[in-house]
Amino acid sequence: MNRSMRVAVAVLATAGIVTAGAETMSVQVRSGQVRATASYLGAVIAELPYGTAVQVETPSKPWIRVKLPDGRSGWMHESALIRGRLQLRGGETVQASASVNEVALAAKGFTQQVETEYRKQNPTLKFTWVDRMESYRVTPAEAQAFLRAGRLQPRTAEGAQ
Amino acid sequence: MTQVRAVCRGWAAVLTLWATVSAMSLWAGCQTIKAVGETVAVVGVATGAVTEEQAQSIVRTGAALSSAMEHLTPENEYWIGRTVTATILSRYPPYDRPNLNRYLNLVGQTLALFSERPETFGGYHFLVLDSEEINAFAGPGGLITVTRGMLRLCRTEDELAAVLAHEIGHVEHRHGLQAIKKSRWTGAFTTIVAEAGKTLGGAELAEAVRAFEGSISDVMQTLVNSGYGRAAEREADAAAVRILRTAGYDPRALVTMLQEMKRRLKPGGLDFAKTHPDPEERIQAVLKMLGGGGAPTPPPPERQSRFAAAMAEL
């Protein structure tokens, strides 16, 4: 096997690992909800903070069965997860397997620090109301009650199963 | 000379591989192209085909090939959405009616559960704006604001749900972020490679704030002046039909809401008339999605009475 062929085989083998090896995923939202069943109307058994790594047990869509750091299992929606490990603030050790992009992801771009600086320069913007808006929360139980009271019957095959 | 030829052979091998693997991976989109770039670079170094410096160049090229928006994480999107919404709220005062806003959030946040992107970094939140304009804004990440004028068009909860589901569709497809010019963040996202955990220093922070300011300006320009464009509006309408149907609402309410909007929008107005395609065009497209029209099923009395009670505050 010549050198080009060796390189080709190595790349294709590694690419295969990249495609198939999605065992570790990380929570990419502020609070990732883990449910007992593959449904938004299912009971929440845990809430995982941004950056928590979980192991994929069943890579189905849109609900993925994952193993939590404490050993329990549950279902998370794919929109709450990103492949690989997120390197976060607070001096966690960089994982040897993390790519350049993963390592830098959480430290780059627009963060709270950028908003704070921007607010100093634009004191008239209505952030107080944005904070108030974010305080408007509907719990899963309230959503279920709202659906029932309005005689709404969600389809079970899509979205919230 | 031999060394030069060896390097050239190495590059040729890598480029051939790049083409092969990229072609194999096109179905998986830009993320994969970037991943393949990194893979090619890592393996190239490991096998001695390319130097570390060349490998980094490959990674950079791969990143450049992928879409601009992809670099924005849900957290980045969240911070953009907050400032976009704070800017909207400095132009349109909030309508401080706790019961009405609570109802809007019950309808909107329940609908969002049935979208293809039910979880965003900070979640979906809704607020009424004190304006008679017919308008609504989907802040990136899920901060959705709707004017009193828009709410007045709705005669049932199903029609209100149609308005909100359309806005959720924009968030689902990240249309707001697509408005951000690539040039805004090339600096912030390629030169500011802060170590994890490190806060940005003076010059880096200033650069990031400049990029942030530009990004906010791009999103605002699209939300308030130019609109997302026909294709994005059609995507949001398609998402709305899907979300309404899945949640249990009658998707034909989107058609009747658009018919009412058509009656009430003033041509040349500075609201939805400016940023959205003609309602008739949207009606025809939605009818095709639905496979026909017809009047929506009247909502049950329980649903209609809670809608009427909340809208009494308008």
Side-chain angles (χ1 to χ4, degrees):
Chain A
M1 195 187 286
N2 65 28
R3 192 181 198 195
S4 298
M5 285 295 286
R6 280 200 306 274
V7 173
V9 168
V11 166
L12 291 173
T14 312
I17 292 165
V18 167
T19 307
E23 288 95 7
T24 299
M25 297 187 89
S26 299
V27 176
Q28 64 166 351
V29 296
R30 181 183 275 154
S31 177
Q33 297 188 322
V34 186
R35 291 170 191 277
T37 54
S39 162
Y40 259 106
L41 305 177
V44 176
I45 59 164
E47 293 199 17
L48 302 180
Y50 181 47
T52 306
V54 293
Q55 301 301 311
V56 175
E57 290 185 336
T58 310
S60 46
K61 285 193 168 194
W63 292 94
I64 301 169
R65 186 173 170 82
V66 298
K67 188 172 183 182
L68 315 189
D70 66 6
R72 287 184 296 162
S73 294
W75 295 89
M76 295 188 76
H77 194 272
E78 60 178 343
S79 59
L81 294 168
I82 186 171
R83 276 186 172 187
R85 271 175 207 278
L86 280 181
Q87 177 64 17
L88 297 178
R89 315 161 184 82
E92 289 175 25
T93 311
V94 175
Q95 298 297 313
S97 59
S99 72
V100 173
N101 285 344
E102 284 167 356
V103 171
L105 193 61
K108 284 203 291 186
F110 306 138
T111 59
Q112 183 160 21
Q113 191 194 5
V114 175
E115 182 189 290
T116 304
E117 189 62 26
Y118 185 81
R119 285 172 73 160
K120 279 186 208 160
Q121 298 170 16
N122 299 274
T124 58
L125 298 184
K126 299 274 179 58
F127 279 97
T128 314
W129 264 96
V130 175
D131 293 338
R132 195 154 151 192
M133 205 176 158
E134 285 192 43
S135 73
Y136 298 147
R137 290 179 189 280
V138 175
T139 65
E142 287 169 338
Q144 279 201 45
F146 187 75
L147 288 166
R148 270 197 306 274
R151 292 173 60 191
L152 289 158
Q153 292 183 325
R155 291 194 178 190
T156 54
E158 305 165 55
Q161 293 179 359
Chain B
M1 199 59 192
T2 309
Q3 200 176 359
V4 170
R5 274 202 300 274
V7 169
C8 287
R9 272 204 306 277
W11 269 106
V14 168
L15 290 173
T16 307
L17 283 163
W18 177 281
T20 310
V21 182
S22 296
M24 287 166 60
S25 307
L26 273 179
W27 61 273
C30 296
Q31 185 66 44
T32 306
I33 291 175
K34 194 173 68 189
V36 167
E38 288 168 10
T39 305
V40 168
V42 168
V43 176
V45 172
T47 56
V50 294
T51 66
E52 180 61 35
E53 196 180 344
Q54 289 164 337
Q56 287 309 311
S57 168
I58 294 170
V59 171
R60 280 196 297 274
T61 307
L65 282 174
S66 57
S67 103
M69 194 177 70
E70 183 191 312
H71 289 257
L72 292 168
T73 65
E75 187 189 5
N76 295 156
E77 180 187 20
Y78 167 76
W79 294 110
I80 292 171
R82 275 178 56 87
T83 296
V84 162
T85 306
T87 311
I88 289 168
L89 288 168
S90 64
R91 299 184 187 188
Y92 296 86
Y95 193 52
D96 188 6
R97 295 291 186 283
N99 291 339
L100 178 60
N101 282 312
R102 169 73 184 159
Y103 175 72
L104 197 71
N105 278 275
L106 278 165
V107 178
Q109 292 190 32
T110 302
L111 280 170
L113 296 180
F114 300 93
S115 80
E116 287 186 349
R117 198 182 169 210
E119 291 199 41
T120 62
F121 186 84
Y124 290 81
H125 306 279
F126 300 79
L127 180 68
V128 182
L129 301 174
D130 190 4
S131 165
E132 292 304 322
E133 245 185 58
I134 295 174
N135 227 331
F137 305 98
L143 294 175
I144 293 170
T145 45
V146 189
T147 62
R148 291 170 71 194
M150 177 66 97
L151 294 182
R152 281 190 212 285
L153 294 183
C154 305
R155 292 152 300 185
T156 62
E157 184 176 297
D158 292 48
E159 289 185 347
L160 168 65
V163 170
L164 301 184
H166 174 89
E167 299 306 320
I168 291 168
H170 283 309
V171 177
E172 185 182 292
H173 288 285
R174 307 211 295 171
H175 287 149
L177 299 187
Q178 287 174 19
I180 300 173
K181 295 188 186 95
K182 200 172 175 179
S183 60
R184 298 294 185 197
W185 51 266
T186 44
F189 285 81
T190 56
T191 63
I192 303 173
V193 186
E195 287 172 30
K198 180 182 143 190
T199 52
L200 298 178
E204 289 172 332
L205 180 59
E207 188 178 350
V209 172
R210 267 198 304 280
F212 188 67
E213 193 164 31
S215 301
I216 302 301
S217 163
D218 289 344
V219 177
M220 286 302 295
Q221 168 68 20
T222 299
L223 284 182
V224 177
N225 293 322
S226 56
Y228 295 116
R230 283 187 162 73
E233 294 305 334
R234 190 168 293 201
E235 271 186 332
D237 279 337
V241 167
R242 173 173 29 81
I243 292 166
L244 290 168
R245 192 176 269 154
T246 314
Y249 286 106
D250 191 333
R252 289 173 295 187
L254 177 57
V255 174
T256 54
M257 191 280 296
L258 286 168
Q259 286 166 341
E260 184 63 12
M261 185 186 283
K262 185 183 166 189
R263 275 192 287 276
R264 307 262 285 269
L265 268 183
K266 296 183 186 79
L270 297 175
D271 44 16
F272 244 49
K274 185 178 173 188
T275 53
H276 283 68
D278 183 342
E280 184 57 36
E281 188 181 319
R282 291 177 60 195
I283 290 166
Q284 294 310 317
V286 173
L287 284 173
K288 271 189 194 161
M289 292 172 204
L290 294 173
T297 309
E302 298 92 326
R303 201 185 304 163
Q304 191 59 19
S305 64
R306 72 183 180 190
F307 170 80
M311 291 297 140
E313 287 198 335
L314 267 185

